[in-house]
Amino acid sequence: MAAYSSIVDSFAAHNNTMPLLRFITFLLLILSVQTSYGQSSAELKKRKDAINREIESLKKTRSKIDKNKKLSLSQITLLNAQIKLREEKIGTINSEIKMLDNKISTNTSEVKALQSDLSRLKKEYAKMILFAFRNQGAYNKMMFVFAAKDFNQAYMRLKYIQQVGKFRKSQAKYIETTQVTLKKQISILDENKRQKSDLLSDQLNEKQTLGKDKNEQSKILNNLTKQEKTLQAQLAKKQKEASSLNNAIQAAIRKEILAAQRRAAEKARLAEQARQAKLAAAAKAKATTTAKTPTPAAATKPAVKPASGSSVLASSPEDAKLSSSFMGNRGRLQKPAQGIVTQGFGQYKYKSNVTLFNPGINIKTAAGATVYAIFEGQVSQVFMVLNNYAVMVRHGEYFTIYSKLRSVSVSAGQKVSTRQAIGTVANDPSDGISEMQFQIWKGTKPVDPSGWVR
């Protein structure tokens, strides 16, 4: 009876709902970690797949150029873009590996915790079964109930006896569920390790391919350097094109600034006239009432000077609102055309003594791809640069420029909306590449578009 009392009292002291609550909490933790991992992993895999598609597209374009047996700067540009994409892919793989390492560590801890819990549960269950076998008779149970101090304790002991059987069954089910969960977690852990092994293999292959691409890049550069005349002609063409476009953009912006200054000056002049007229009327009224000389005009406040420089472009309420709205969408604007960015913003070195500044980003597209305005605004100017069109759209103090276009569907002074088609991309007859250039200017200074478009 003492033994039976001990096991039942132990059962009474042990809250049988706590293991179940801990188990449910444990399962929810596992599910939440797996869901978070799944979402992040899916995003990384999606980006990696996109990079693979872009690399294949660049390889096909380079293959077409190589068939022409002509060395060109376009080969270097495309190969540089391909190298950059491979480096980004390696970075993405590294992120996946890091996530898997964290997941493997978490799963290993979960498996160890489940194994420890399962071992403890089995030991407790074994003791319970052994005791039940030794106390199959009803005598000990009845003696345990009758040995109670009072009726309430006897009733409680009777209820405990009834619940022992149920508890043993629930523990058996709990052990079974824990075993299933443990098996599942071990399977997931094994899959994580396999995925990491595949990623490490993929990473090694990408590094080897990256090395080959860089060797090819060096080879093409050496061949171009040997063909000095060809290289100089291509560089001269690029410089002429960049200079012509830059001059046209600056001239158009200066024109916009002058027009805005004239409007601001006229507005200030009219405001000053109205103010002086108001002061004169007030002085006349005072002279009539008091018969005194009116206050001299010199005592009045001076007129407010209109804004100067590029800030005048956002001096009107409408332009200020448009500038603020454009700025507020930074990082969320879509690219002006579907394609791959082959060259970014900044200085690019082609020879030891030759560097070119790219004031925007170059986007390789499909032949005749449609170009869209990235934000609402007004077309400032449409101009020709080396037989191709360029469109400049004003957004208050900001300007977006879309160049290397075969055709345009807008005209100067026209209002455009976000994602409105404004033209199509031209095809370079020398290498067959369809590529547009996109720029963003704030007043008279170009800014890096990569921080604006997603």
Side-chain angles (χ1 to χ4, degrees), residues 87-260:
E87 289 173 342
E88 185 181 347
K89 182 179 178 181
I90 289 172
T92 304
I93 292 173
N94 288 336
S95 297
E96 284 189 284
I97 291 173
K98 186 177 180 180
M99 286 182 60
L100 276 173
D101 282 337
N102 292 335
K103 183 61 180 174
I104 288 170
S105 176
T106 302
N107 275 341
T108 301
S109 299
E110 290 171 358
V111 166
K112 288 181 179 178
L114 283 169
Q115 288 173 334
S116 176
D117 201 20
L118 184 62
S119 177
R120 178 183 58 79
L121 287 170
K122 285 182 175 179
K123 288 179 181 178
E124 291 177 358
Y125 188 71
K127 290 179 181 179
M128 194 180 300
I129 294 298
L130 180 61
F131 177 80
F133 176 76
R134 290 175 178 175
N135 297 274
Q136 296 182 40
Y139 176 76
N140 284 338
K141 296 178 183 178
M142 296 303 297
M143 288 300 295
F144 172 69
V145 173
F146 290 140
K149 295 178 181 180
D150 52 37
F151 177 80
N152 287 335
Q153 189 179 50
Y155 176 76
M156 292 299 296
R157 288 189 177 191
L158 181 62
K159 294 297 292 184
Y160 288 150
I161 292 172
Q162 293 173 350
Q163 290 176 8
V164 164
K166 293 180 180 180
F167 179 69
R168 188 170 64 246
K169 291 179 181 179
S170 67
Q171 285 294 89
K173 189 175 181 181
Y174 184 32
I175 290 172
E176 184 181 349
T177 306
T178 304
Q179 287 176 325
V180 172
T181 304
L182 176 60
K183 185 177 179 181
K184 182 180 178 181
Q185 286 304 112
I186 291 174
S187 176
I188 292 173
L189 183 59
D190 291 339
E191 177 62 19
N192 291 155
K193 291 178 179 179
R194 185 194 65 77
Q195 289 175 352
K196 181 179 178 180
S197 177
D198 292 343
L199 285 171
L200 288 171
S201 177
D202 193 12
Q203 181 191 57
L204 180 62
N205 291 335
E206 286 300 323
K207 286 183 176 179
Q208 291 174 345
T209 307
L210 179 62
K212 292 178 182 178
D213 286 346
K214 289 184 175 180
N215 288 335
E216 187 177 355
Q217 178 192 46
S218 178
K219 182 180 177 181
I220 294 174
L221 275 173
N222 289 334
N223 290 336
L224 275 173
T225 304
K226 291 176 183 177
Q227 298 183 19
E228 190 73 21
K229 290 184 179 180
T230 302
L231 179 59
Q232 290 293 351
Q234 292 180 19
L235 286 172
K237 181 184 176 183
K238 277 185 171 289
Q239 287 174 324
K240 182 179 179 182
E241 183 179 284
S243 179
S244 298
L245 180 59
N246 186 65
N247 291 338
I249 291 171
Q250 289 186 340
I253 292 175
R254 283 196 298 269
K255 184 179 177 182
E256 289 281 351
I257 290 174
L258 288 173

Side-chain angles (χ1 to χ4, degrees), residues 326-334 440 449-454:
F326 184 78
M327 179 66 184
N329 281 275
R330 180 173 182 172
R332 298 196 296 268
L333 300 169
Q334 294 187 39
I440 298 178
S450 61
W452 293 76
V453 296
R454 55 184 177 178

